[in-house]
Amino acid sequence: MRTVDSVKALLADSDPAADLVGNPARRQRDLEKIVLADWTDAAVPRPAVPVLRRKRLLVPLGALAAGAAAALVFGLLPGGTASTAHAVTPPLLSYQAPATTTPAPQLLEEIAQRTAALSEPDGPDAVLEWKEWSLVTRIDGNRVSSRVMAEDRKVVIHADGSGTLTRAFEGEKGKTEPHERGLFPDPVPADPDALRAVLRRSTPGVDDPAGAAEALRGLLRAQALSPGQRAAVLRLIAALPGLRHDGTVVDRAGRPGEAVSAESARSGLPSRYTFIIDPATGRILGDEDMLTESAGALNVPVPSVISYTSYLVAYRR
């Protein structure tokens, strides 16, 4: 039996993210990202899945819910104690208190109305660029160590669905390869309810902050959204339970925006999901996932940002 299948069977009854991804092919791809072996401090993790070596495991938090990561730690590594040394995680962003008491849903509706009225150039090609960061945790015997993994990506998608993907790990030379059509090859609706239905096909838990964050990450990496589509995204976020306006913030790419967030323990550990939005264009500048109460078996302090994405470019030409 392949290692991937063994891990999948082990977690079948305890996977806290089981209902977040309804697409079997996507679940398989995500699991293959999890089971990485033979990693050294000088190496960059690769998507190939070699034979899992005894008591050695990589857990890329950006690819797996934190709770499932904890389940892997305890399921595969009985005995021993984790290292108490905390990994270095990104500094928390500094938020300026809101100037008004406008509720977050109302704020997003105001931005959505302005966004929907915008007129922007259109064309057959979509150009997307983003930077994503995640914490990769290595389990080796009774030692837990973590490191930052940052990756830059640029995608050019043509009208026929073909295109290129250029990816570069921080400090590495970029590599260009053919772009593969993802979960959202066709334009999404500019109506929030219809958009929610489309996202639910791949992410059944889209009405929860954790599911919405997962679904929107996939969408924003696949399409350059029109003003109407961006307005629908904002209205979908506005409907999340417990949404609050955190105030203004300068994102990790140096751009000002309005931050809204909601909390959920759906991933297995209480987390806050934050979206940073350009109030003039309705674009999502970035999203962040932060542990708020407990890190489980992970060697990070609390609170800790365990993943974030900066969306740098999204336009049609």
Side-chain angles (χ1 to χ4, degrees), residues 170-246:
E170 198 164 43
E172 298 276 327
K173 183 178 179 180
K175 176 183 178 182
T176 299
E177 57 195 58
H179 168 70
E180 297 182 3
R181 293 170 69 90
L183 292 174
F184 305 105
D186 301 317
V188 295
D191 174 82
D193 292 332
L195 173 62
R196 183 178 293 106
V198 170
L199 298 181
R200 186 174 284 117
R201 295 172 193 167
S202 63
T203 312
V206 70
D207 297 310
D208 178 86
E214 177 189 352
L216 291 178
R217 288 187 195 112
L219 176 60
L220 295 173
R221 289 162 170 77
Q223 297 189 22
L225 301 179
S226 69
Q229 292 167 327
R230 297 201 301 270
V233 166
L234 295 180
R235 288 169 173 141
L236 184 146
I237 295 173
L240 292 176
L243 190 73
R244 70 183 189 186
H245 181 205
D246 297 318

Side-chain angles (χ1 to χ4, degrees), residues 31-118:
L31 193 57
E32 290 184 355
K33 292 178 183 178
I34 296 165
V35 186
L36 300 171
D38 200 20
W39 174 73
T40 67
D41 291 342
V44 175
R46 293 187 289 269
V49 183
V51 176
L52 184 66
R53 298 186 176 181
R54 182 175 179 267
K55 292 191 178 183
R56 178 173 290 183
L57 175 68
L58 279 183
V59 182
L61 299 184
L64 180 68
L72 280 172
V73 170
F74 291 115
L76 296 182
L77 303 177
T81 58
S83 168
T84 57
H86 284 162
V88 177
T89 56
L92 304 183
L93 293 175
S94 178
Y95 299 90
Q96 301 298 316
T100 68
T101 57
T102 303
Q106 181 180 336
L107 173 70
L108 292 189
E109 176 58 31
E110 293 172 356
I111 298 175
Q113 291 180 15
R114 293 197 299 270
T115 299
L118 295 175

